[in-house]
Amino acid sequence: MLTALLSGFTTGAGLIIAIGSQNAFVLRQGLMRHHIGAVVAITSLSDILLISCGVAGIGILVEAWPSLVQYLRWGGAAFLAFYGLQAAQRAWSGSGALHAAQQTSSASLKTVVLTCLAFTFLNPHVYLDTMVLLGSLSANYPGFGQIAFAIGACCASLVWFIALGYGARLLRPVFNSPLAWRILDASIAVFMLTLSALMLS
């Protein structure tokens, strides 16, 4: 049981901690301290839901219906391109630093929630990682071991998003500089637009 739990935790952490569009979004919200509780809750609970579905065997449906992943790829690429262009505009104008300094933002809770859900569920890799890969690996631990593996993977997601979202404030002194925000937004823009292009390739 302990082996399965640790295996689930380390495997889940390896997949979740990898730099991705969702992590970049959580980091930026954490730096702004803007609706971070909702963002952390959505990202963590979404991962827990998908991991649980994968262990329950629903990942087989994703493998059997490849067109679903294709549709998600197109939608995800369009969304990432849109968000990347927004980040590029913030980097060019320096508007991101203004919002951070005032600890305010024009984005409502509804907008932040919908954006977070889009980053989570329009990414086809999240289904392959959580439902297919983790679901398949959990089969190596039959019985309660499979449940322990899933719990370990879910705990990794919870720990990571809490640390990323609420730990981002430790970087606030660095981001007191408008230049730092422009560099961050420029990096996010390049990252999002590159991911969008890769999804379509």
Side-chain angles (χ1 to χ4, degrees):
M1 290 284 289
L2 181 59
T3 300
L5 183 70
L6 292 176
S7 179
F9 187 90
T10 54
T11 304
L15 293 173
I16 295 162
I17 294 175
I19 296 175
S21 56
Q22 185 188 55
N23 285 340
F25 174 73
V26 175
L27 174 62
R28 194 172 199 284
Q29 292 301 122
L31 286 168
M32 293 191 299
R33 300 180 185 177
H34 187 231
H35 299 310
I36 190 58
V39 170
V40 169
I42 290 170
T43 51
S44 301
L45 293 177
S46 296
D47 265 11
I48 290 172
L49 173 64
L50 292 171
I51 291 169
S52 299
C53 287
V55 172
I58 298 180
I60 297 173
L61 296 179
V62 177
E63 291 180 310
W65 194 17
S67 59
L68 172 62
V69 177
Q70 189 65 29
Y71 294 141
L72 289 169
R73 180 176 290 112
W74 292 334
F79 174 75
L80 288 176
F82 173 75
Y83 194 85
L85 291 174
Q86 282 191 322
Q89 190 276 329
R90 288 196 305 266
W92 180 262
S93 64
S95 59
L98 177 63
H99 289 167
Q102 295 175 343
Q103 293 189 12
T104 61
S105 173
S106 59
S108 64
L109 175 60
K110 179 181 178 181
T111 300
V112 170
V113 167
L114 291 176
T115 303
C116 188
L117 288 172
F119 270 118
T120 301
F121 292 103
L122 285 181
N123 178 8
H125 296 293
V126 73
Y127 299 96
L128 297 176
D129 288 347
T130 57
M131 296 179 71
V132 177
L133 183 56
L134 288 176
S136 299
L137 290 175
S138 70
N140 295 323
Y141 303 93
F144 288 109
Q146 191 173 30
I147 297 175
F149 182 92
I151 291 174
C154 291
C155 287
S157 178
L158 187 62
V159 169
W160 169 247
F161 286 118
I162 290 175
L164 181 62
Y166 289 102
R169 66 184 60 192
L170 298 177
L171 297 175
R172 288 278 299 182
V174 176
F175 286 91
N176 283 333
S177 164
L179 177 61
W181 277 94
R182 297 185 82 164
I183 292 173
L184 175 65
D185 281 325
S187 301
I188 289 175
V190 171
F191 186 65
M192 298 295 181
L193 292 172
T194 300
L195 281 180
S196 176
L198 289 174
M199 277 191 179
L200 296 174
S201 63

